[in-house]
Each structure stands twice: as C-alpha cells, then as structure tokens.
Amino acid sequence: SDGSIRLHQMTSEYPLMQWNDSTNGQPIIALQWALTRPAVFFVLDASSNIYIWDLLESDLLPVAKQTIPSENVVTMALLGEPEKTNGLLGIALAKESGQIDIQYVKKKWAVP
C-alpha cells in the first residue's frame, strides 16, 4: 500500500532486496515478472503508471516509467511465450471502463 517492493527467496523470511517508496508512495496494484526475461518485472501503481525494472541493468531504480493517460488502469497481465526466443512480450491493461489495451514491450526488456 505504500509503494514498497520486496524480493524474497523461498528459504528466508527476510528480503534479499527491498525498494521503499518505489512508486512515490502510490499503492501497487499489480506486479509481474516478465515471461521471457527473468531479470525484468513490471509494476502497476494506483495512478496508472507502469514501472519497468531490469535488475541486470539497475537494481536501484526502475529503468523506465510509462504513464497510461486518460483512464484508470485497474490491473495488468503479461503475455508471452517463455519457450520462444523471438522477444515478443505484451502487456494487457484492463481499464476502469472495461476496455482492454494490449501494448508490446521493447525487445531490450523482452529478449532472453
């Protein structure tokens, strides 16, 4: 609820990494690992901002932030086929009106 993200391993109750206030205090609505690139995850906050984290590039801050204008995004899901190396990775965004948008992610965050 405060925008903090914690990375855990299954064998410990203590996080390996913790990022406080990663969304400028906005609650996190959804977080999902990329299906095609294990070091990348995506975060959706309550203000319809999507943050892209690539832990191989930086483990301090997100590498990109995209604001979805015009309407609140209520959830997201990632689309892709982990067994394929074509680098296709999409994000399905569900908006408050019921509309679904699908956007493709740049290959640099999708290719294994």
Side-chain angles (χ1 to χ4, degrees), residues 83-104:
E83 63 278 356
K84 293 192 177 177
T85 59
N86 60 7
L88 283 178
L89 180 65
I91 302 177
L93 303 170
K95 296 186 174 182
E96 214 166 38
S97 66
Q99 181 182 7
I100 305 270
D101 277 353
I102 296 178
Q103 299 185 8
Y104 287 100

Side-chain angles (χ1 to χ4, degrees), residues 27-104:
I28 294 173
I29 304 298
L31 186 149
Q32 190 171 352
W33 286 99
L35 302 170
T36 57
R37 187 174 169 100
V40 174
F41 64 92
F42 297 79
V43 176
L44 170 67
D45 75 11
S47 294
S48 298
N49 296 304
I50 297 174
Y51 302 85
I52 302 172
W53 289 77
D54 184 345
L55 298 179
L56 295 178
E57 189 174 324
S58 172
D59 63 358
L60 299 175
L61 298 167
V63 293
K65 175 184 171 184
Q66 177 69 47
T67 301
I68 308 300
S70 75
E71 192 176 345
N72 283 343
V73 177
V74 294
T75 194
M76 72 172 181
L78 294 179
L79 313 165
E81 298 178 274
E83 63 278 356
K84 293 192 177 177
T85 59
N86 60 7
L88 283 178
L89 180 65
I91 302 177
L93 303 170
K95 296 186 174 182
E96 214 166 38
S97 66
Q99 181 182 7
I100 305 270
D101 277 353
I102 296 178
Q103 299 185 8
Y104 287 100

